[in-house]
Structure formats: structure tokens, C-alpha cells
């Protein structure tokens, strides 16, 4: 297979969550989608991609081809390696650092089965993978590109009430990865600044590449049909949340806002439906019933519909059925849900945090709120759902805004980053 200016094979490391896992469950989320979509696009341009992840079930086949998440058809050029490192089940993310040595050993062993120089670059995702990537970089003599996806210092600075702060060990581990990586790949300009200001990353080693959206999947669908398929009334006001259910994502803010809205506008109650699409994750796993209990205390159980994590195709249908998608997170490195919703023609009401300020264009594709106050959120939701012409105006703007985020462009720019990382490594070697 021909290399692209020295890049023919890529080793991607996604230790703590498999790209084959269903987004919206456990630790699977936007990063899973990112890894899969970038790998698929790189492969379509003629680059071989091997993804290394930790095996979580004994029944998993050690090496499997990646398949299209929608059609199930095998994706040529992308292979997933299930690495045995620690117990298959019951190991939390906080316990994974104890398995780094075993995981790294198995990754190095897989590479050793090939001729010297098999991989041209290592791309690690999340700090745990970065620790392994740094070792592989030194052993294989190839550049390391690292994507943080989330950062402990940023998360701890915007911690949700009752959430658990990230431990010092993660902070130290992230600092080590920042120092080791040849290039740090940030999702947004804001993330790049955070890497430089909070982690002392060299500005010349930080590159910004926006994630994308699969517009073949996430595109406008007839709302009447989308609603009928999900047992939603044609005139319903559908205020949707999608994502992992944990304090960081702040679904409680949405429920409190809905309670405020119906208290002020009792006439809307008969039409409001609040789908919560996703499963417990993170510290939310410790209290899986909290959100349902909150809905009960707020007196809106009849409005809330809990929907288990769904496929991308089904999720696209939910977006098309929704009147508005709420993204009240305390932090988002990018905000893939907001991007997908907009590509589906659905306006977004989002917190003005992290990457959401890049993804959502305030007043054009949705509304950005610099507060998590439920009263303010209730007014924003009312503004969008209560004025059909304004909602349609935002929906049109959402489609325009979504056009700038494509996985094809993400992969093209990522490949350019791989080349630059190689150049930096060679320059450092010459020096």
C-alpha cells in the first residue's frame, strides 16, 4: 500500500474504550465516534489503520475488521485489536492505570510480529492511551500524535455539583503525555489555548483540527415520519437530550428547566415531551436512578421519556423528530451531539462552554447560555419551541453551520498533522 508522504500505516490507541462499543453507554461517547470516523476516512485514502483497545470480554475475537456502524459492512483498511490487559469485566477507568504496563507490552508485541518500521505514526486518544503511545514512540522511532479529548484540569475547574474531581494521578499523567507527544491535536482553538496555558504545551506543537459529522447519516428527515416512528405526536414540543447520563453532561439542568417552564406555562404541558437518550456513565453509574428520581420530585415524570442508547441511524431520527436539542454540559471538548443535531436540521440550546462555542453559532444555529440556571434555560427553550418561525430560522442556520464540520476534512487535516509530526521528530533527531 502506497504511503502518503511517509504515512502508510497508523497505530491508533484507544485503551479505555473500544471503538466498537455503543456510544452513550459506559465510557463510550464522542471519542469512540471520533476514532471510528477518522480511521474510516484515512483508510479510504489508502492508509492502513490498526486500532488497539483493551478487551473487556473473553468472547471478543483478538483481531477483527472494523465495520460500517450503520450498514455493518466491513471497512477495508481498518483493523481492531482487542488487547488482553487485566480482568475482562468489572475494571473501572480509575483502575486502568494499573494495567498500562501489560497493555503496552501486548501492543509492542503485536508490532514486533511485523518487519521493522511497520508503523509510521502513533495516534493516541485520552491520557491513558498517551502513556502507552509515548512508550511505543520511543521503541518504534515514530512520531506520537496525541488527542486529549478531555483534560483533568479543565474538568476540575468546571465541576458539576456532587461530581467527583479527577485525581492528581491523571493530572500528572496528562502532563507527561503533553511533554512526550510530538504534536498535540486539539479539537478547537480554545482547547489549544488550554493545552498551552494549563499544561505548558509548546505552541508550535499544538495543531487544531475540528471533528466532523457523517452527513450521510445525520441529515434532515421528514419530521412527521420521524415522530410517528417514535410514538411522538405531530404537534409535540420535543426537547431532547442525548449523551451519557452523568453530572458533567448536566441532564438535571434540563429537567429543572422543563419544570420551570411548565410551572410558568401550564398550557404547554400537554404537548411537551423530553426524551433522554443515553445511559449512565462516569459517576452516574453509582446512582443510575438519580435522574428518574429527580423527574419524580419535580413532578414531570409524565413528560420525560428515558431511551436507552441507540444506533447512529436511530439517533439521527431522534434529532429529526426533536424541536430542539439541549446540551447543558459543564464542559465539552467539542460537542459532537450539537454538531450532529445541527446537521440533522435541529437547532440547539447549549451551554457556552468548551467546544460548544465553536460548534454552535449563537443566534443563528441555536442559542448559547453562559449560565446553568434552570430559569434562564427555561426561557431559552420557550423562545425556541414557542415561536415556530424562529425555530425554523434557527434550523436553517443549523444546516449551514454544520456544513463546516465533515469527517473527510478532519481526516485530511489529521493526515497533514501526521506528516508535520514526522518532520518535527526528524528535526529533533538532527538537532
Amino acid at each position: 500500500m502506497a504511503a502518503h508522504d511517509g504515512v502508510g500505516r497508523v497505530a491508533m490507541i484507544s485503551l479505555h474504550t473500544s471503538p466498537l462499543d455503543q456510544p452513550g453507554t459506559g465510557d463510550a461517547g464522542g471519542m469512540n465516534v471520533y476514532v471510528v470516523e477518522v480511521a474510516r476516512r484515512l483508510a479510504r485514502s489508502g492508509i492502513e489503520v490498526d486500532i488497539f483497545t483493551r478487551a473487556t470480554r473473553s468472547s471478543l475475537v483478538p483481531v477483527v475488521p472494523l465495520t460500517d456502524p450503520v450498514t455493518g459492512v466491513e471497512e477495508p483498511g481498518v483493523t481492531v485489536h482487542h488487547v488482553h490487559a487485566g480482568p475482562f469485566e468489572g475494571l473501572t477507568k480509575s483502575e486502568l492505570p494499573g494495567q498500562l504496563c501489560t497493555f503496552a507490552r501486548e501492543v509492542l508485541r503485536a508490532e514486533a510480529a511485523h518487519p521493522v518500521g511497520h508503523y509510521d505514526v502513533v495516534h493516541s486518544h485520552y491520557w491513558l492511551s498517551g502513556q502507552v503511545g509515548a512508550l511505543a514512540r520511543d521503541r518504534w522511532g515514530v512520531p506520537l500524535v496525541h488527542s486529549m479529548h478531555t483534560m483533568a484540569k479543565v474538568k476540575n475547574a468546571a465541576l458539576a455539583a456532587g461530581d467527583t474531581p479527577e485525581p492528581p494521578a491523571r493530572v500528572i499523567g496528562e502532563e507527561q503525555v503533553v511533554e512526550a507527544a510530538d504534536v498535540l491535536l486539539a479539537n478547537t482553538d480554545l482547547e489549544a489555548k488550554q493545552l498551552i496555558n494549563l499544561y505548558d504545551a509548546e505552541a508550535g506543537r499544538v495543531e487544531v483540527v475540528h471533528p466532523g459529522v457523517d452527513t450521510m447519516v445525520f441529515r434532515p428527515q421528514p419530521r412527521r415520519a420521524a415522530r410517528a416512528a417514535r410514538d411522538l405526536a405531530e404537534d409535540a414540543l420535543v426537547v431532547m437530550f442525548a449523551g451519557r447520563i452523568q453530572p458533567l453532561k448536566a441532564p438535571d439542568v434540563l429537567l429543572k428547566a422543563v419544570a420551570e417552564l411548565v410551572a410558568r406555562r401550564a398550557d404547554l404541558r400537554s404537548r411537551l415531551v423530553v426524551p433522554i437518550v443515553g445511559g449512565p456513565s462516569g459517576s452516574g453509574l453509582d446512582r443510575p436512578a438519580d435522574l428518574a428520581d429527580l423527574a419524580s420530585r419535580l413532578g414531570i415524570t409524565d413528560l420525560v421519556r428515558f431511551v436507552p442508547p441507540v444506533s447512529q441511524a436511530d439517533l439521527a431520527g431522534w434529532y429529526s423528530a426533536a424541536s430542539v436539542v439541549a446540551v447543558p454540559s459543564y464542559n465539552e471538548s467539542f460537542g459532537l451531539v450539537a454538531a450532529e443535531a445541527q446537521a440533522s436540521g435541529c437547532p440547539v440550546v447549549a451551554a457556552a462552554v468548551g467546544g460548544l462555542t465553536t460548534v454552535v453559532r449563537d443566534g443563528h444555529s441555536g442559542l448559547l447560555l453562559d449560565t446553568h440556571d434552570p430559569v434562564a434555560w427555561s426561557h431559552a427553550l420557550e423562545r425556541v419551541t414557542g415561536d415556530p418561525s424562529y425555530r425554523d430560522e434557527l434550523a436553517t442556520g443549523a444546516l449551514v453551520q454544520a456544513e463546516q464540520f465533515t469527517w473527510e476534512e478532519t481526516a485530511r487535516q489529521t493526515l497533514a498533522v501526521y506528516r508535520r509530526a514526522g518532520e518535527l521528530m526528524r528535526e529533533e533527531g538532527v538537532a
Side-chain angles (χ1 to χ4, degrees):
M1 186 169 290
H4 292 246
D5 292 341
V7 181
R9 292 190 183 92
V10 178
M12 281 198 184
I13 303 177
S14 179
L15 187 158
H16 80 286
T17 178
S18 170
L20 303 182
D21 289 346
Q22 169 66 58
T25 60
D27 290 317
M31 192 186 92
N32 298 65
V33 176
Y34 182 103
V35 171
V36 167
E37 299 298 344
V38 171
R40 292 173 65 202
R41 269 54 176 203
L42 289 173
R44 291 174 187 177
S45 69
I47 294 172
E48 292 182 5
V49 182
D50 284 348
I51 304 173
F52 294 91
T53 190
R54 196 182 76 85
T56 54
R57 297 189 306 277
S58 60
S59 59
L60 290 172
V61 178
V63 181
V64 296
L66 183 71
T67 57
D68 185 298
V70 176
T71 65
V73 175
E74 183 177 317
E75 192 77 45
V78 186
T79 305
V80 178
H81 298 253
H82 292 118
V83 178
H84 289 192
F88 291 116
E89 299 175 349
L91 203 62
T92 65
K93 190 161 60 175
S94 63
E95 296 172 310
L96 286 177
Q99 302 301 325
L100 287 178
C101 289
T102 303
F103 187 91
R105 181 190 67 204
E106 296 303 315
V107 171
L108 296 180
R109 179 179 293 175
E111 188 273 346
H114 299 283
V116 175
H118 183 69
Y119 294 114
D120 301 300
V121 65
V122 180
H123 188 174
S124 53
H125 299 270
Y126 192 69
W127 76 276
L128 290 169
S129 300
Q131 294 279 317
V132 177
L135 180 61
R137 172 200 187 273
D138 295 341
R139 185 64 179 269
W140 300 344
V142 300
L144 171 63
V145 173
H146 180 72
S147 296
M148 282 290 197
H149 293 285
T150 62
M151 292 176 278
K153 292 181 181 180
V154 176
K155 290 182 71 174
N156 287 347
L159 206 62
D163 205 357
T164 305
E166 295 298 320
R170 175 178 173 181
V171 174
I172 295 170
E174 289 178 342
E175 291 172 341
Q176 292 170 339
V177 173
V178 167
E179 185 176 357
D182 294 283
V183 174
L184 293 160
L185 205 162
N187 287 332
T188 62
D189 291 333
L190 176 59
E191 184 181 347
K193 292 177 182 177
Q194 290 168 336
L195 283 165
I196 295 167
N197 296 333
L198 299 178
Y199 289 86
D200 295 324
E202 294 181 33
R205 292 181 180 272
V206 180
E207 297 284 349
V208 177
V209 176
H210 298 317
V213 177
D214 188 340
T215 53
M216 295 299 291
V217 176
F218 297 100
R219 65 186 191 278
Q221 300 176 27
R223 188 187 302 177
R224 177 181 296 180
R227 290 190 168 186
R230 290 159 183 82
D231 195 26
L232 296 167
E234 190 175 334
D235 68 342
L237 301 177
V238 183
V239 180
M240 174 183 167
F241 171 93
R244 291 174 289 159
I245 299 175
Q246 60 181 130
L248 175 70
K249 302 293 185 180
D252 62 302
V253 172
L254 173 59
L255 296 194
K256 293 172 185 176
V258 169
E260 290 283 348
L261 178 56
V262 295
R264 187 174 66 252
R265 292 285 308 276
D267 58 305
L268 298 179
R269 187 173 193 113
S270 62
R271 297 174 59 199
L272 268 173
V273 183
V274 186
I276 305 292
V277 184
S281 175
S283 57
L285 289 168
D286 298 330
R287 303 179 299 274
D290 272 9
L291 206 59
D293 292 342
L294 175 62
S296 178
R297 292 197 302 273
L298 293 171
I300 58 170
T301 298
D302 57 316
L303 307 182
V304 180
R305 184 187 298 185
F306 290 98
V307 181
V310 297
S311 67
Q312 284 193 310
D314 197 3
L315 183 60
W318 276 103
Y319 289 143
S320 290
S323 307
V324 62
V325 169
V327 188
S329 305
Y330 285 95
N331 183 61
E332 289 284 351
S333 61
F334 180 64
L336 196 57
V337 164
E340 292 171 345
Q342 290 177 157
S344 304
C346 185
V348 174
V349 174
V353 299
L356 290 169
T357 58
T358 297
V359 175
V360 181
R361 188 179 176 196
D362 188 33
H364 292 269
S365 66
L367 299 177
L368 289 171
L369 303 183
D370 58 4
T371 177
H372 288 87
D373 174 44
V375 175
W377 273 78
S378 73
H379 284 288
L381 294 173
E382 181 182 13
R383 184 181 177 193
V384 177
T385 59
D387 185 341
S389 61
Y390 184 57
R391 190 268 176 200
D392 291 344
E393 178 184 330
L394 291 178
T396 300
L399 288 171
V400 173
Q401 178 70 357
E403 289 176 354
Q404 64 182 297
F405 305 114
T406 69
W407 287 120
E408 287 73 19
E409 182 62 17
T410 302
R412 186 190 69 79
Q413 293 186 30
T414 299
L415 180 56
V417 170
Y418 292 166
R419 297 190 189 111
R420 172 161 166 71
E423 292 169 1
L424 288 171
M425 190 177 191
R426 286 189 290 273
E427 291 172 4
E428 190 175 81
V430 171

